[in-house]
Amino acid sequence: MEIQLLVVPYDSANRGARMGAGPEALLAAGLPQALRDAGHDVHVKLAELPADSWKAEIGTAFELMRMISIAVREAREVNRLPIVLAGNCNTAVGTLAGLGNASTGVVWFDAHADFNTPETTASGFLDGTAVAMLTGRCWKTIAATVPDFQPLSDQQVCLVGTRDIDALEHALLDESNVSVVESRALRAGLRRALSSVNEHVDQVYVHLDLDVIDSDVASANTFAVAGGLTLDDMDYALSEIAQTLRIAGVALTAYDPAADTDGAAAAAAIRLVCTAAALARES
Ligand SMILES: [Mn+2]
């Protein structure tokens, strides 16, 4: 399969810092070669902003989303599977726009719900609002500057492995129609959640925030917590997705090499991306 790797080496508008170091660390750890060894043709494109310009932190995140939307659409037009390697999860707004929001479901693997809004966040971390943005709950005016972005309906979105949710964020999630499959309910609940997403879409975007993995298995970043998924769980979940829906795009986000003291998180990331690419070829 032809793969377009889109490398977005930013965290909170900072190039190469913290989780912004993750995408290029995964390139250096051999991710492109692992995909080539699996028989894929791999093209690599870097999303990068001029270093000397003034960067507003929120404006920069949306500038990257606009670049990603266009790059994902271009990848689709030449039949390449877009795989986004990004520091931040909010890049998904650009990816979904490029894939076609109306017809694309989202399976969001993440320890966090990313369902805060500017009114509920206590940390001020923009990335904690990513799924709220995707579902049209906040940042509406600037999200509309992302080419082809339309808010998704809640029914298009399924969160998996979610376990670290703020109180006000939890209240928003409870009153939404977004489905949530907790780690312990994976084998009992994922299939039903996927078939319900499948009723509303033609294809799926698989979002892999690496901290969905249990922190005892791999330390993806400084936000990683226990109670997450194992690599066996991920194999199961990805294969269930591919049996239900056509995988149209993938992202691997939130890898911070500084937190990965034993290299287990990088190895997990490469394995997850290769598994998703193999299943996308078949799905
Ligand atoms: Mn996330």
Side-chain angles (χ1 to χ4, degrees):
M1 165 173 263
E2 299 273 336
I3 289 176
Q4 181 67 62
L5 283 183
L6 293 171
V7 180
V8 193
Y10 289 83
D11 181 351
S12 310
N14 299 295
R15 195 205 185 289
R18 200 174 65 159
M19 299 183 292
E24 285 162 320
L26 292 175
L27 297 185
L31 175 57
Q33 191 57 45
L35 289 166
R36 291 187 180 109
D37 289 347
H40 303 288
D41 289 324
V42 182
H43 310 265
V44 181
K45 183 179 178 117
L46 179 67
E48 200 172 28
L49 303 170
D52 53 355
S53 60
W54 167 255
K55 292 187 187 61
E57 64 274 52
I58 293 166
T60 299
F62 282 89
E63 194 167 343
L64 291 168
M65 292 173 208
R66 290 191 285 271
M67 294 173 73
I68 294 164
S69 172
I70 292 164
V72 166
R73 187 175 60 204
E74 287 171 352
R76 279 175 51 216
E77 285 166 359
V78 292
N79 286 319
R80 293 179 184 170
L81 173 73
I83 299 182
V84 178
L85 306 178
N88 288 147
C89 293
N90 63 51
T91 49
V93 171
T95 309
L96 263 299
L99 290 173
N101 296 60
S103 59
T104 311
V106 178
V107 183
W108 189 275
F109 291 91
D110 196 327
H112 310 94
D114 294 353
F115 213 68
N116 272 301
T117 71
E119 298 303 325
T120 67
T121 180
S123 71
F125 186 34
L126 177 69
D127 221 25
T129 69
V131 180
M133 278 182 216
L134 271 180
T135 53
R137 286 179 166 77
C138 56
W139 303 113
K140 296 176 199 179
T141 301
I142 192 166
T145 69
V146 178
D148 302 323
F149 179 74
Q150 299 282 334
L152 278 75
S153 74
D154 288 358
Q155 288 88 348
Q156 286 172 258
V157 182
C158 171
L159 308 185
V160 184
T162 328
R163 56 197 184 276
D164 187 3
I165 310 175
D166 302 330
L168 292 174
E169 181 184 31
H170 217 305
L172 274 185
L173 190 55
D174 283 346
E175 67 195 29
S176 79
N177 286 311
V178 169
S179 35
V180 180
V181 179
E182 293 176 4
S183 306
R184 64 176 175 276
L186 186 73
R187 282 169 171 79
L190 180 63
R191 190 172 292 183
R192 190 191 307 167
L194 292 175
S195 40
S196 130
V197 168
N198 192 29
E199 287 171 26
H200 303 276
V201 299
D202 304 325
Q203 58 180 15
V204 70
Y205 160 71
V206 178
H207 182 88
L208 303 165
D209 179 320
L210 194 58
D211 68 26
V212 76
I213 301 291
D214 192 286
S215 56
D216 289 340
V217 174
S219 176
N221 55 45
T222 55
F223 308 105
V225 288
L229 302 184
T230 64
L231 294 175
D232 279 352
D233 289 336
M234 290 304 300
D235 285 345
Y236 166 80
L238 291 170
S239 121
E240 283 291 320
I241 292 167
Q243 283 171 41
T244 312
L245 286 146
R246 190 173 71 79
I247 296 174
V250 177
L252 190 295
T253 67
Y255 171 55
D256 177 359
D260 184 23
T261 48
D262 60 2
I270 291 172
R271 174 174 160 171
L272 292 180
V273 169
C274 287
T275 302
L279 290 165
R281 179 163 50 191
E282 293 159 21
S283 71

